[in-house]
Amino acid sequence: MNQKIPLSWLQLTREKTRLAVALAGISFADILMFMQLGFRDALYYSNVRFHNSLQGDIVLINSQSNAILAMRSFSQRRLYKALELPAVQSVHPIYLDFTIWKNPVTGRPRSILIFGMNPETNIVNLPGVQENLDKLKLPDVVLFDRSSRVEYGPIATNYDQGKAVAAEVRRRRIKVEGLFTLGASFGADGNLITSDINFLRIFSNRQKGLIDIGLIRLKPGADAKVVALELRKYLPNEVNVLTKQEFIDFERSYWANSTAIGFIFTLGTVMGFIVGTVIVYQILYTEVADHLAEYATLKAIGYTQNYLLTVILQEALLLALLGYFPGIVFALFMYKSAREATLLPVFMSFDRAIMVLILTMLMCIISGAIAVRKLRSADPADIF
């Protein structure tokens, strides 16, 4: 076994230029897969951060709602009807809608997502919300997401410097009296949180009794799945009853299956895999073709076909490992650049690193398995 690895290594390093080209191709394929998977996971994660932050057990939404981007309102009476169940501790209506924010410096308009909720109780586990709830009780006061894109203006910077921050939202003058952290997503570049009363002041055309999300907290020890099942029987079909995890999965499913962007990122990963497979195949096929006479000689002196196949597969694995490491290093740099440019949560995860490593090894093994077919033409009789 010790003699097999040096042979495969010597064959790879014999042509330094060819080896460098092969490793560059594999690294490029790995970077492509890393970026596509990174953006896909950022797509899913960024769009469910608000869902994850909810301090409740069950969520009610209109049955015609598809995602945060496409919510339909329903009567809050459906939510308060849930209080009739013994396991329900409290209910909390949430308003949300998109509107136009005008940059206070440039005057340029940009769409922003606003959440409206009762400031008496904190129902979202987000940094900066709890300590600023009392401020939301004042008229025309909002909290601004410090992780919003820079196109909204230097709001967080000015606020941190102690400056008074005001802006125009839906042609209404509002004051920023606090900051919180949620983050941009593929659906919203910026976010505001305000009280339910202020929300209805901004959206004067909205009816008070029509809400977008109903959050239910259960009493200690209550099973959310069991209570959700009871509520589905108890409430009309116009309301969709979901556990918190089902609400998260509901949003993820929308982006994965109902939009083109989720498919595009998956397709990009597949294309990276195919590109890498083709590159490695070309390298290994050329390697086998250039050494066909040597392989025939090895056969003539007693080495088996399986031994030669093992050598080629070892070369494939070596290429996979050598090409993977520069690929992941460059991907980390690209992730950092993408985070700074888009403010999206593009991070490397251990699971993704292992997944791409496995895909890289599989990619090279498939290429090697195809390339070794050329060995069948290595006939010892041809050299004698």
Side-chain angles (χ1 to χ4, degrees), residues 99-104 112-115 135-136 138-145 152 155 159 163-180 191-195 197-203:
T99 191
I100 298 301
W101 163 285
K102 186 175 287 188
N103 187 315
I112 196 166
L113 179 59
I114 305 182
F115 299 95
K135 298 177 181 178
L136 295 181
L138 301 174
D140 298 322
V141 168
V142 300
L143 305 182
F144 183 83
D145 181 5
Y152 293 99
I155 308 302
Y159 182 84
K163 299 178 182 178
V165 181
E168 185 178 312
V169 175
R170 202 178 176 86
R171 297 182 179 180
R172 187 179 185 90
R173 196 71 172 172
I174 55 93
K175 294 172 288 185
V176 175
E177 294 290 348
L179 303 175
F180 72 100
N191 306 282
L192 297 176
I193 289 180
T194 190
S195 68
I197 296 176
N198 282 327
F199 181 93
L200 293 171
R201 286 195 181 106
I202 295 171
F203 296 92

Side-chain angles (χ1 to χ4, degrees), residues 9-23 287:
W9 174 251
L10 289 173
Q11 291 221 126
L12 283 177
T13 56
R14 180 174 176 271
E15 294 284 345
K16 299 292 192 302
T17 302
R18 183 184 298 169
L19 176 61
V21 171
L23 297 182
E287 192 71 36

Side-chain angles (χ1 to χ4, degrees), residues 221-243:
D223 190 320
K225 292 183 178 180
V226 173
V227 177
L229 185 60
E230 293 180 17
L231 283 171
R232 292 186 188 110
K233 299 176 182 178
Y234 191 63
L235 297 176
N237 293 333
E238 68 183 67
V239 178
N240 195 1
V241 181
L242 305 169
T243 64

